[in-house]
C-alpha cells in the first residue's frame, strides 16, 4: 500500500530468511493529519486493529513518532502518553493499542522485527513490556534507518531480505545508543561527574576501566573525558592515576605487603615502574615511606600519614592539570 502520506509492505518469510536469524517482515509509515482517520487504511487481518479491540502480534514492532502526540496502552504497561520523539515497542503475544491525538495527529514510522538473533538482542534490560515507551528525541540517524527499510522494500535489491535483517539490528543498536544518550542529557553534569569519580575510585587505575566507566555512564569516552576535564580540571585517566597513588599510600602506610605485591594489586606492570611512578608523583620512593613509617610512632606516625595523604583532596580542588 502506498500514497503520499502512507506506505507499507508485508513480505513472506522464507525458511532461508528465518535461518538468517534476523528478518523484517514488514515496514512502513503513516503521516496522520489533525483529525485524520486511524489507522488510515486496512492492514492484513493478522495486523489490522481498532482502538476498541486492540491487537496481539507474534513479532516485535518498533514505532517511531517524529511529529504529534497520542496514546498507547498494553496489559503490562497500562495507559501511557506518547510525545514527539518517542519510540514505543510492541512485544510478541502482548495485547496493545495505540492512536494519535485527534488534535495533533502524528507521523509514525515502523518496522517489524523477528528471528532468533533479534530475540536474543531484545532480551536486553532496556527493553521490557512494562516500559515500552523510550524517549529517543529527534534522531536523524535512527529515522534514516526506518526510511532505508521502506526504500529497500520498494526497490528490492538482490538479497534485500538479508539487508533488511541487518538493518533491523542497526535499528536496535541506534535505539539503545539514543536511550543512553538521552538518559545522560537529562542529568546534571555535576551528578554524572560525581558518579564517575565513584566509579574510578572503585575501579582503580587500569586503562581499560576508563572506557568501561564511560559505558556505565551511558556516554562515549570522548564526551566523558571532555566533561570530566571541564568539571575537575583534569582528565579521567589522571584522576584514576591519583586514585591509584592514594591507594598505594594507604597500602604502604597501613599494611606490610611487599612493594611488588602492591604494584601487582594496583595493576602496574612491574614493581620498578610502580616505584618510579610513585616517586615522580609523591616526591618520595615507596621504600622511603616504609622506612619513615618504621621510625614513626603515636602522633609522629599520624603526622606522617597526613603528610603523604592529601593527594586526592589537593587534586580534586587544585588547579587544572595538563
Amino acid at each position: 500500500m502506498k500514497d503520499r502520506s502512507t506506505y507499507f509492505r508485508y513480505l513472506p518469510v522464507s525458511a532461508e530468511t528465518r535461518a538468517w536469524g534476523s528478518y523484517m517482515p514488514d515496514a512502513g509509515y503513516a503521516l496522520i493529519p489533525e483529525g485524520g482517520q486511524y489507522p488510515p487504511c486496512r492492514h492484513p487481518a493478522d495486523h489490522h486493529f481498532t482502538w476498541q479491540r486492540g491487537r496481539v502480534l507474534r513479532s516485535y514492532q518498533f514505532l517511531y513518532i517524529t511529529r504529534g502526540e497520542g496514546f498507547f496502552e498494553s496489559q503490562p504497561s497500562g495507559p501511557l502518553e506518547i510525545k514527539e520523539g518517542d519510540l514505543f515497542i510492541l512485544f510478541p503475544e502482548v495485547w496493545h493499542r495505540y492512536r494519535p491525538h485527534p488534535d495533533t495527529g502524528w507521523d509514525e514510522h515502523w518496522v517489524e522485527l523477528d528471528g532468533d538473533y533479534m530475540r536474543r538482542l531484545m532480551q536486553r534490560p532496556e527493553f521490557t513490556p512494562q516500559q515500552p515507551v523510550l524517549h529517543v528525541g529527534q534522531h536523524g540517524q535512527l529515522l534514516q534507518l526506518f526510511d532505508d527499510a521502506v526504500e529497500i522494500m520498494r526497490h528490492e535489491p538482490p538479497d534485500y531480505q538479508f539487508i533488511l535483517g541487518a538493518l533491523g539490528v542497526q535499528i536496535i543498536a541506534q535505539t539503545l545508543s539514543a536511550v543512553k544518550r538521552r538518559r545522560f542529557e537529562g542529568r546534571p553534569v555535576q551528578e554524572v561527574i560525581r558518579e564517575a569519580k565513584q566509579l574510578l575510585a572503585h575501579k582503580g587505575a587500569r586503562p581499560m576501566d576508563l572506557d568501561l566507566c564511560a559505558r556505565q555512564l551511558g556516554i562515549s569516552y570522548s564526551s566523558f573525558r571532555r566533561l570530566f576535564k571541564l568539571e575537575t580540571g583534569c582528565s579521567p585517566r589522571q584522576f584514576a592515576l591519583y586514585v591509584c597513588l592514594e591507594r598505594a599510600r594507604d597500602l604502604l602506610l597501613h599494611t606490610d605487603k611487599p612493594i611488588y605485591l602492591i604494584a601487582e594489586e594496583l595493576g602496574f606492570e612491574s614493581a620498578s615502574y610502580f616505584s618510579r611512578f610513585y616517586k615522580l608523583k609523591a616526591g618520595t620512593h615507596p621504600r622511603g615511606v616504609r622506612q619513615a613509617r618504621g621510625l614513626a610512632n603515636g602522633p609522629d606516625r599520624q603526622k606522617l600519614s597526613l603528610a603523604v595523604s592529601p593527594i586526592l583532596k589537593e587534586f580534586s580542588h587544585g588547579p587544572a592539570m595538563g
Side-chain angles (χ1 to χ4, degrees):
M1 168 70 190
K2 65 177 181 178
D3 60 33
R4 287 189 300 176
S5 62
T6 303
Y7 176 94
F8 59 79
R9 186 177 178 191
Y10 292 83
L11 303 172
V13 181
S14 66
E16 186 181 21
T17 302
R18 291 183 189 277
W20 185 245
S22 60
Y23 56 89
M24 187 183 296
D26 62 84
Y29 64 82
L31 313 181
I32 309 300
E34 176 184 337
Q37 175 185 336
Y38 192 81
C41 49
R42 190 165 185 87
H43 292 260
D46 62 342
H47 281 69
H48 191 73
F49 76 102
T50 64
W51 178 258
Q52 290 73 24
R53 290 189 297 108
R55 178 180 63 178
V56 175
L57 295 176
R58 297 178 183 176
S59 304
Y60 295 93
Q61 271 197 9
F62 280 44
L63 289 98
Y64 185 23
I65 307 302
T66 57
R67 181 196 62 82
E69 51 190 63
F71 312 97
F72 173 88
E73 184 177 358
S74 72
Q75 287 179 329
S77 71
L80 299 170
E81 291 187 358
I82 301 296
K83 303 291 185 181
E84 179 179 307
D86 283 347
L87 182 149
F88 57 95
I89 302 173
L90 311 179
F91 289 80
E93 311 303 330
V94 174
W95 178 87
H96 60 263
R97 62 181 182 176
Y98 53 91
R99 66 180 179 183
H101 196 293
D103 291 344
T104 64
W106 71 19
D107 293 351
E108 67 178 25
H109 308 260
W110 84 86
V111 296
E112 187 165 348
L113 305 174
D114 211 339
D116 294 340
Y117 183 56
M118 289 289 194
R119 290 192 176 233
R120 289 201 300 273
L121 295 179
M122 292 303 295
Q123 296 307 305
R124 291 188 60 90
E126 293 88 352
F127 302 135
T128 67
Q130 291 74 27
Q131 295 181 311
V133 179
L134 308 173
H135 187 66
V136 299
Q138 293 294 349
H139 194 294
Q141 289 177 296
L142 185 58
L143 178 58
Q144 186 62 55
L145 292 173
F146 281 84
D147 290 342
D148 288 346
V150 167
E151 290 305 305
I152 290 169
M153 287 190 174
R154 286 186 199 270
H155 301 294
E156 298 187 12
D159 286 331
Y160 72 98
Q161 289 185 321
F162 297 152
I163 298 173
L164 288 171
L167 202 64
V169 174
Q170 293 184 60
I171 287 174
I172 292 176
Q174 285 287 359
T175 299
L176 285 170
S177 175
V179 168
K180 289 185 177 181
R181 183 170 62 249
R182 294 294 298 187
R183 285 176 181 170
F184 167 72
E185 289 173 351
R187 299 167 60 195
V189 171
Q190 293 81 2
E191 179 184 324
V192 175
I193 298 306
R194 183 167 57 252
E195 182 178 341
K197 286 183 176 182
Q198 292 171 347
L199 287 170
L200 289 171
H202 175 70
K203 293 294 183 181
R206 293 172 178 79
M208 71 183 72
D209 289 328
L210 301 179
D211 291 330
L212 176 61
C213 182
R215 290 198 300 273
Q216 289 178 316
L217 294 169
I219 56 178
S220 68
Y221 179 73
S222 58
S223 297
F224 171 43
R225 189 183 188 284
R226 176 177 56 81
L227 291 171
F228 195 96
K229 189 161 188 175
L230 185 66
E231 287 295 310
T232 68
C234 68
S235 71
R237 190 171 300 279
Q238 288 172 322
F239 183 84
L241 288 173
Y242 274 85
V243 169
C244 179
L245 190 62
E246 180 74 353
R247 284 186 178 180
R249 188 271 311 168
D250 285 338
L251 291 169
L252 289 168
L253 280 175
H254 304 301
T255 77
D256 293 321
K257 289 184 178 181
I259 290 174
Y260 78 89
L261 285 182
I262 293 176
E264 182 179 320
E265 181 176 330
L266 296 173
F268 287 89
E269 297 176 359
S270 66
S272 60
Y273 177 59
F274 164 66
S275 296
R276 290 197 303 272
F277 167 81
Y278 193 90
K279 188 175 189 307
L280 176 66
K281 299 299 183 181
T284 185
H285 194 281
R287 287 196 303 270
V289 177
R290 280 281 169 84
Q291 290 167 357
R293 187 191 76 170
L295 298 174
N297 290 296
D300 291 336
R301 185 163 180 171
Q302 185 179 7
K303 289 179 183 179
L304 171 65
S305 179
L306 293 172
V308 295
S309 67
I311 299 165
L312 286 182
K313 289 183 179 179
E314 290 180 0
F315 173 74
S316 59
H317 296 93
M321 302 181 66

